[in-house]
Amino acid sequence: MTPFAIAGVQMYVNALQSNTDGMLHRLDILMARFPWTQMVLFSELAPFGPLPKFALPFHNDSLARFQDAARKHNIWLIPGSMFEKTEDGRIFNTAAVINPDGAIVASYRKMFPFRPYETEVEAGTEFCVFDVPQVGRFGLSICYDIWFPETTRQLTAQGVEVLLHPVLTGTTDRDAELAIARATAAQFQCYVVDVNGLGAGGNGRSCVVDPSATVLHQSAGQEDMFPIEVDLALVRRTRETGMKGLGQVLKSFRDRSVDFPVYDRASGADAYLHSLGALEMPRQGSLSGINPRETTVIGETHKSMGPPFRDDDGVPPLAGRISTG
């Protein structure tokens, strides 16, 4: 058994003022109540909220205070993420990993900003993998990243056993995101620690999922501190013998007999994706994705109902008819 105690902090996030004091206060309470905690994860953009106008350089006073807190409590600390403003004016959604000595050992820039909504935020290109000595290997992704399984595949192919996943989800797709968290744990046979915020920081419902897709903890819609002792030996056992003695998915992928041309941008295998129009905000009354041309249903041709095709709608005509059923 390789036990390690990870705590998530689901807290109210203010959009218009710093939340750093509140985070440090909750951290003190957490460590007083659960002194056996070894790592603490906050939600995405917890320190300063969801507005890019509050972006700061990566090294800033709040990050220094978090480094002091990690040293004080002798913990690994991931204080959510912050909007980072680089010297050339670009903005990234960036998380830092702080070790018990207060040193920043890794950082991660979110690879998939929530476009078309996060238009001001640049996409990161580097993965984040770090080791906790005598424990195991951890990886970091942020919110929308998990919707793209390629990100987790890259991390787990490098041996990541625990996926740390701070999120800021206050939208109606939270149910889908929770399903993805469970599916990710099963597909990649890893722990998923998914921490959401409240208020301007999200609608809560944080969760911890084990490598068999079992939900170890599910928060509701109020503030919550949830330390969970994970067992990384369970990850290793599951990857060797399969989930519940069944699917050995990582080894099956390793031993695959096919490569996937969709990942070769020059292959043309993703031609359909290029027919989907621009990545842009939906408009009121938009007909995007609605093709009023003829469709074939069970061998019969039907005229579609609705307004005529509009060239300005951003939807290219489909080649041929759509067959359903």
Side-chain angles (χ1 to χ4, degrees):
M1 182 175 183
T2 310
F4 189 71
I6 306 173
V9 179
Q10 176 176 289
M11 61 170 277
Y12 179 83
V13 174
N14 194 307
L16 300 177
Q17 64 187 44
S18 171
N19 300 285
T20 300
D21 286 344
M23 293 172 69
L24 294 171
H25 174 65
R26 288 166 178 80
L27 185 58
D28 286 342
I29 294 173
L30 169 69
M31 296 308 299
R33 293 180 64 194
F34 310 109
W36 43 272
T37 299
Q38 295 163 279
M39 175 181 284
V40 179
L41 175 64
F42 285 86
S43 61
E44 178 186 17
L45 300 174
F48 294 101
L51 302 180
K53 69 179 182 179
F54 294 119
L56 293 170
F58 177 74
H59 292 285
N60 58 69
D61 290 343
S62 287
L63 187 57
R65 294 178 68 190
F66 291 129
Q67 290 178 263
D68 290 340
R71 191 180 305 112
K72 168 185 173 182
H73 294 295
N74 190 39
I75 57 170
W76 291 81
L77 176 61
I78 300 91
S81 65
M82 308 180 203
F83 281 127
E84 170 199 1
K85 190 167 187 176
T86 63
E87 291 183 359
D88 59 7
R90 292 180 300 162
I91 295 175
F92 293 91
N93 186 341
T94 305
V97 178
I98 305 169
N99 73 10
D101 294 326
I104 298 170
V105 298
S107 64
Y108 175 68
R109 290 171 169 172
K110 185 177 181 180
M111 286 189 170
F112 287 93
F114 191 45
R115 293 176 181 156
Y117 294 88
E118 292 181 336
T119 56
E120 300 173 62
V121 183
E122 300 287 332
T125 58
E126 300 293 329
F127 290 92
C128 178
V129 176
F130 66 96
D131 291 329
V132 174
Q134 287 79 54
V135 177
R137 181 158 288 186
F138 292 70
L140 192 59
S141 71
I142 298 176
C143 203
Y144 200 38
D145 289 336
I146 203 173
W147 288 66
F148 304 87
E150 295 83 357
T151 60
T152 310
R153 184 167 304 285
Q154 180 70 30
L155 293 170
T156 53
Q158 296 178 67
V160 163
E161 298 164 309
V162 179
L163 181 67
L164 303 170
H165 186 235
V167 309
L168 191 168
T169 302
T171 46
T172 54
D173 58 352
R174 182 59 177 156
D175 274 338
E177 193 168 70
L178 291 172
I180 291 170
R182 289 193 66 198
T184 297
Q187 285 178 296
F188 300 104
Q189 299 175 323
C190 64
Y191 282 97
V192 175
V193 184
D194 177 286
V195 180
N196 199 12
L198 298 170
N203 53 24
R205 301 171 70 191
S206 302
C207 68
V208 180
V209 189
D210 81 1
S212 68
T214 299
V215 177
L216 302 179
H217 175 77
Q218 173 79 69
S219 300
Q222 71 279 340
E223 294 217 356
D224 193 13
M225 300 176 181
F226 46 97
I228 300 288
E229 187 176 79
V230 301
D231 178 13
L232 273 65
L234 176 62
V235 176
R236 296 155 199 163
R237 175 69 173 171
T238 301
R239 288 177 174 178
E240 283 290 338
T241 64
M243 187 180 81
K244 301 180 179 179
L246 301 170
Q248 299 176 26
V249 292
L250 293 191
K251 290 191 283 186
S252 293
F253 181 79
R254 178 199 65 196
D255 297 342
R256 67 192 181 277
S257 58
V258 61
D259 285 322
F260 300 98
V262 69
Y263 293 118
D264 177 1
R265 297 193 188 202
S267 71
D270 62 348
Y272 166 72
L273 301 181
H274 295 281
S275 75
L276 296 179
L279 181 59
E280 60 187 9
M281 194 82 72
R283 304 186 304 275
Q284 288 183 338
S286 171
L287 297 178
S288 295
I290 299 174
N291 179 25
R293 306 244 173 159
E294 292 182 353
T295 62
T296 300
V297 181
I298 318 180
E300 297 183 5
T301 299
H302 299 266
K303 296 283 189 179
S304 69
M305 305 299 290
F309 184 79
R310 288 169 43 187
D311 289 333
D312 65 347
D313 191 60
V315 182
L318 297 180
R321 297 172 178 173
I322 301 173
S323 177
T324 61

